[in-house]
Amino acid sequence: MKYLAQQAINALQLGSIYALIALGYSMVYGVLTMINFAHGDVFMLGAFFCLLLIAIVPVPFWLALIVVMGATAVLGTLIERFAYRPLRNAPRVSAIITALGCGLVIQNTTLGISPYARPMPHLLDNVTYQFSGITITTLQIIIIGVSVGLMIVLDFLIRKTSFGMAMRAIASDRATVSLLGVPANQVIAVTFALGAALGGAAGLLYGMAYPVVSAAMGITVGWKAFVAAVIGGIGNMRGAVLGAFLLGAVEVMTVAVLPSTYRDLIAYSLLLLILIFKPHGLLGKPALHKA
Amino acid sequence: MSALLETCHLTREFGGLRAIGDLSIAVKRGEILGIIGPNGAGKTTLFNLLTGIYPPSYGDILFDGRSITGLQPSRIARLGMARTFQNIRLFRQLSVLENVRIAYDSGLACSPLDAMLRSPWALLRERESVEASMELLEMFQLGSHVEDRAGDLSYGAQRRLEIVRALALKPTLLLLDEPAAGMNPSEAMQLTDFLRWVHDKFSLTIVLIEHHMQMVMALCDRIEVIEFGVRIAGGKPEDVKADPRVIEAYLGTEGELP
């Protein structure tokens, strides 16, 4: 029982980070029905931006979080503006290849600058608390707290604000949105910025939790989050969060009972299995196309 | 003299096809102008050019005295040009209220930071937007459906909602693309009265594309007839109705309009 509770905390930690990244995939898919394959690498850069920042000035955690989110938001907007927007009306395949290409450029640039994995220094005094035999660290509380906080803010933003309404409207009919006076391109740019900021935050948190930062993170972790978004039903924000926590739980439980090399096998098998029975993901709806 | 909208030698080609050719028409402030013509005459293309969906190949569009040629559709909309569609294009997954608020809030949709921080300014604007949208919806007997998904409304209510949504832009010019499509004659006559009321109530200028001749004749101050993208006739409804070129375009050589 105690063991299970302990694993649940670990699963929440991993799930929170997956969820932050998965939201970025899902938001962009929601407005453009496009998979932003560079998103995992934006997540990876979040961790590197943090390394860079604290190498220049040793800032406290909160400040680092804000700066990293700002930097990745700018990066996300630039990617959208210069790589994706020119191809907005191009065939879908071109957009996908461009996204993959962007990811590879970011990844290999990072690899060029930093060929080896680097340790992430401590940003926090990590205190370990004990509650009747279950341990939880400051870091875990912060990771889960920050992630859940950001998710609540995003959910509010999408459901209640005029920006959120415009975003959901673009998802259903982009041309009509413009004819109602909404600058659709700006809304799309902000969507990318928000998604990238969440990805950057996840990069920083991941770097703190598993303190080795490498250029391959975008693939090893970022693609897992993509799987989570698909399991949940890509385009659906709550689905992305659900899929992420589910994937986090499955991975942690797998490692708890099987050798850790089975982890990805089980994770990707879960994806295949869920998609066989729910092709649109757990909360996804079949796409409604105009007749 | 007091033209609200003018097209000067407006031309649009798609590949080798000339959808609109050298079209110069003017819409006077406050009038209801009908645009008629056989299927494929280029009527909807004209609306798409006016609203900026695609740029003209040649020619100029003046709205309220300034050239709007080449502007983004969202800019043109915010200058006061709103439209509805032949096939209803509501945001079906969104609520009725949200459909209207999107148009009302357009232009400030991209300040999520402001909305997140719940500044008093943002809260005030939000209340304004909800109240104004509710008022419009109630005026059009949609007040009891505000929380429903737009896609769940009846066909007639969806048509009304599309007009409410266009009005939420506070337009000076309203472009209506076949508002009577799919309606029987008595519904179309009801719509005629309704549109006249909207026109007077909101002091609008209206351009109407419609095939329903009875409605066009009853509603419009003036009619322009286009065929193959070219203006072939124009004037008062009774003159247009008797014009042999119009009769020919519609019915072949001999015959009479209903």
Side-chain angles (χ1 to χ4, degrees):
Chain A
M1 191 57 219
K2 222 179 270 176
Y3 180 71
L4 211 63
Q6 187 63 58
Q7 294 302 332
I9 290 172
N10 296 339
L12 275 179
Q13 172 183 323
L14 185 60
S16 311
I17 292 172
Y18 282 157
L20 286 181
I21 314 171
L23 282 167
Y25 281 111
S26 221
M27 283 166 76
V28 166
Y29 187 86
V31 294
L32 292 180
T33 50
M34 168 198 161
I35 312 273
N36 177 12
F37 280 114
H39 186 60
D41 298 293
V42 171
F43 152 77
M44 176 271 289
L45 274 188
F48 273 95
F49 283 161
C50 179
L51 276 184
L52 191 67
L53 176 68
I54 49 186
I56 301 168
V57 266
V59 292
F61 165 72
W62 293 107
L63 198 57
L65 181 68
I66 291 168
V67 173
V68 165
M69 287 178 75
T72 45
V74 170
L75 179 71
T77 320
L78 290 176
I79 293 175
E80 190 276 328
R81 179 65 190 84
F82 294 106
Y84 299 160
R85 195 181 299 179
L87 295 171
R88 189 75 58 71
N89 300 314
R92 176 95 29 117
V93 178
S94 313
I96 291 175
I97 295 297
T98 305
L100 281 169
C102 272
L104 287 170
V105 167
I106 294 174
Q107 196 186 321
N108 287 292
T109 308
T110 312
L111 203 59
I113 295 170
S114 170
Y116 307 106
R118 288 167 187 266
M120 177 73 110
H122 292 290
L123 283 170
L124 287 169
D125 287 332
N126 202 7
V127 183
T128 305
Y129 304 93
Q130 293 270 357
F131 297 101
S132 56
I134 302 160
T135 58
I136 183 161
T137 63
T138 322
L139 189 59
Q140 286 176 317
I141 295 172
I142 285 189
I143 288 176
I144 298 169
V146 167
S147 308
V148 172
L150 288 173
M151 287 177 232
I152 291 171
V153 169
L154 183 73
D155 192 64
F156 168 79
L157 204 63
I158 292 176
R159 276 166 202 281
K160 297 287 179 204
T161 68
S162 52
F163 166 77
M165 286 189 294
M167 205 181 128
R168 283 178 287 135
I170 287 176
S172 89
D173 186 345
R174 192 162 74 228
T176 303
V177 171
S178 309
L179 291 170
L180 294 172
V182 180
N185 276 335
Q186 285 180 41
V187 176
I188 291 169
V190 173
T191 305
F192 268 86
L194 286 174
L198 294 180
L204 190 162
L205 295 175
Y206 187 87
M208 288 167 72
Y210 312 93
V212 177
V213 176
S214 80
M217 266 167 65
I219 288 188
T220 53
V221 184
W223 283 52
K224 226 52 110 26
F226 171 59
V227 169
V230 174
I231 288 178
I234 195 154
N236 182 311
M237 302 310 141
R238 292 182 173 179
V241 174
L242 176 70
F245 281 113
L246 185 66
L247 187 65
V250 169
E251 287 200 2
V252 167
M253 295 307 164
T254 307
V255 176
V257 293
L258 293 170
S260 64
T261 42
Y262 282 74
R263 192 186 57 196
D264 290 2
L265 170 68
I266 303 285
Y268 286 102
S269 305
L270 175 77
L271 168 76
L272 296 180
L273 204 65
I274 288 180
L275 291 187
I276 287 170
F277 293 102
K278 303 270 294 179
H280 300 283
L282 295 172
L283 299 186
K285 291 190 195 76
L288 286 173
H289 287 296
K290 285 187 291 290
Chain B
M1 188 62 215
S2 64
L4 177 62
L5 179 79
E6 247 177 302
T7 68
C8 310
H9 307 290
L10 192 64
T11 301
R12 173 71 206 196
E13 280 152 2
F14 293 105
L17 180 80
R18 199 164 235 232
I20 294 285
D22 200 32
L23 191 68
S24 297
I25 57 171
V27 185
K28 289 186 212 120
R29 223 171 275 273
E31 77 173 340
I32 302 182
L33 175 72
I35 295 190
I36 63 170
N39 282 324
K43 302 183 297 289
T44 299
T45 304
L46 174 63
F47 272 16
N48 287 341
L49 288 170
L50 295 178
T51 50
I53 298 216
Y54 26 74
S57 310
Y58 179 76
D60 203 9
I61 304 165
L62 299 173
F63 182 50
D64 214 358
R66 59 176 286 194
S67 168
I68 55 164
T69 317
L71 291 187
Q72 290 291 316
S74 56
R75 269 301 291 293
I76 296 174
R78 275 177 285 142
L79 288 173
M81 193 191 298
R83 76 178 277 189
T84 64
F85 300 88
Q86 191 175 340
N87 47 339
I88 302 175
R89 283 173 71 170
L90 292 169
F91 307 117
R92 303 175 58 85
Q93 314 289 336
L94 272 59
S95 78
V96 168
L97 179 62
E98 285 173 336
N99 266 275
V100 179
R101 282 193 59 199
I102 283 172
Y104 190 89
D105 292 357
S106 65
L108 48 96
C110 36
S111 54
L113 205 63
D114 201 21
M116 249 188 299
L117 297 173
R118 311 303 283 153
S119 66
W121 165 231
L123 286 174
L124 187 73
R125 242 174 10 200
E126 187 182 316
R127 207 173 59 219
E128 247 177 51
S129 140
V130 172
E131 277 170 12
S133 306
M134 287 296 297
E135 197 184 317
L136 268 178
L137 284 164
E138 266 154 29
M139 203 182 286
F140 287 82
Q141 285 90 48
L142 288 164
S144 51
H145 296 287
V146 286
E147 295 301 329
D148 297 358
R149 272 169 19 113
D152 294 340
L153 293 181
S154 71
Y155 182 76
Q158 289 193 18
R159 283 252 172 241
R160 254 181 296 146
L161 177 57
E162 223 192 10
I163 291 173
V164 175
R165 189 177 67 172
L167 291 175
L169 263 175
K170 299 183 217 101
T172 47
L173 177 67
L174 182 59
L175 309 176
L176 299 170
D177 196 348
E178 295 197 32
M183 291 188 178
N184 65 36
S186 90
E187 285 169 332
M189 287 328 280
Q190 267 176 31
L191 181 67
T192 307
D193 295 338
F194 170 72
L195 289 178
R196 187 176 297 289
W197 175 78
V198 170
H199 170 261
D200 297 347
K201 171 94 188 165
F202 294 88
S203 332
L204 291 170
T205 305
I206 293 182
V207 179
L208 171 79
I209 293 177
E210 189 50 75
H211 282 300
H212 204 284
M213 243 5 106
Q214 242 176 315
M215 180 176 162
V216 175
M217 295 298 161
L219 190 61
C220 297
D221 303 312
R222 220 155 50 79
I223 293 174
E224 298 279 5
V225 190
I226 59 178
E227 187 188 17
F228 302 121
V230 178
R231 180 180 179 278
I232 57 167
K236 298 222 168 298
E238 52 277 18
D239 301 338
V240 167
K241 200 173 170 179
D243 193 312
R245 284 167 302 180
V246 179
I247 297 167
E248 191 187 326
Y250 264 85
L251 300 172
T253 41
E254 304 259 328
E256 193 176 280
L257 280 178

